[in-house]
Amino acid sequence: MTSASITETIRAWVDGWVVSRGAAEPVGEPWGVTVDVGLPRHTTRHVLTDNSERSVREVAATARVPGRWLKVFEEQERVLEWLGPDWTPDEPGFLMTAALTRTETDVRAGHRLRTWTRDGVTRVLVTTADGAFAARGQIATSGTTAVVDQIETAAEHRRKGLGSLVMRTLQNAAVERGATVGVLGGTPDGRALYTALGWRTVAPLVSVYYDPAPAGV
């Protein structure tokens, strides 16, 4: 994938993510976009489409405020060398894409599936027969791109195909809304599932937040 294509994928991911999370509209920057999230420990995130050392250092220098996050699409070891000790990494991630088509779904015996859509976001909930949480996820459609978000399966319900059920159900919902391409920010735990479903990694995703050491430490 070319640099221009990765930039387009990053912007598509941002556009869908803000719909999914109800965040503020992205503000364009010379190096990427800024998004106000509005959470106490995650007030604002800076998403870089220019992932050069110079840009990462420049953005970090102006974002040294608790609650600020950087999203950088580079190898984590390199990014951490550029940033210094006051920036704490979250778990490594991966920017992934897939062509979206309709696919068959099958609800496992003993589970129930529910879906609903509001404000451009479709949510999927899988429970046990008595209503206990088993798995969930959501997808936000922006034009012909859909962004998968917050996929989660309860520990006691893993390896039962529920993650695949959630992903396939979300994919079908996005196709019905006109989406042809899917984008997501995957975790190490979820990468195997997404790869098995035909998603491919296009770039590493490094998430870091400003967390300075207390004075005198």
Side-chain angles (χ1 to χ4, degrees):
M1 181 174 282
T2 66
S3 176
S5 297
I6 292 175
T7 296
E8 292 175 359
T9 302
I10 294 170
R11 285 304 308 264
W13 177 63
V14 171
D15 290 343
W17 189 91
V18 299
V19 174
S20 178
R21 300 294 182 94
E25 286 295 316
V27 176
E29 309 279 8
W31 38 260
V33 294
T34 292
V35 176
D36 285 330
V37 181
L39 298 175
R41 294 177 59 83
H42 191 167
T43 55
T44 300
R45 61 168 50 186
H46 304 295
V47 184
L48 283 78
T49 52
D50 177 357
N51 293 277
S52 64
E53 178 179 358
R54 177 178 178 179
S55 290
V56 172
R57 288 184 181 275
E58 287 180 352
V59 174
T62 62
R64 296 171 61 85
V65 178
R68 294 286 182 96
W69 287 67
L70 306 185
K71 300 288 181 174
V72 185
F73 301 85
E74 249 296 357
E75 297 299 331
Q76 180 163 296
E77 295 80 4
R78 185 174 300 173
V79 173
L80 294 181
E81 288 178 359
W82 299 341
L83 293 177
D86 287 344
W87 290 90
T88 300
D90 199 3
E91 65 179 340
F94 310 92
L95 185 68
M96 306 183 74
T97 65
L100 298 182
T101 58
R102 283 199 58 82
T103 183
E104 295 298 321
T105 60
D106 183 22
V107 180
R108 185 182 178 92
H111 292 83
R112 295 177 178 174
L113 174 71
R114 183 186 175 197
T115 66
W116 66 95
T117 301
R118 181 172 296 173
D119 298 329
V121 182
T122 297
R123 291 174 170 83
V124 171
L125 173 65
V126 181
T127 66
T128 60
D130 61 2
F133 172 79
R136 72 169 306 277
Q138 60 196 61
I139 195 166
T141 304
S142 178
T144 58
T145 301
V147 173
V148 176
D149 192 23
Q150 295 192 319
I151 304 298
E152 180 182 359
T153 303
E156 65 272 23
H157 291 285
R158 291 173 184 169
R159 302 185 182 278
K160 297 179 180 179
L162 299 183
S164 295
L165 171 62
V166 169
M167 288 291 293
R168 294 178 189 278
T169 304
L170 291 173
Q171 177 174 314
N172 288 344
V175 170
E176 290 177 0
R177 294 176 63 85
T180 58
V181 177
V183 183
L184 62 80
T187 64
D189 285 344
R191 189 181 188 186
L193 166 65
Y194 306 138
T195 300
L197 292 174
W199 292 70
R200 64 189 185 94
T201 300
V202 297
L205 169 54
V206 178
S207 300
V208 293
Y209 58 93
Y210 186 68
D211 185 25
V217 173

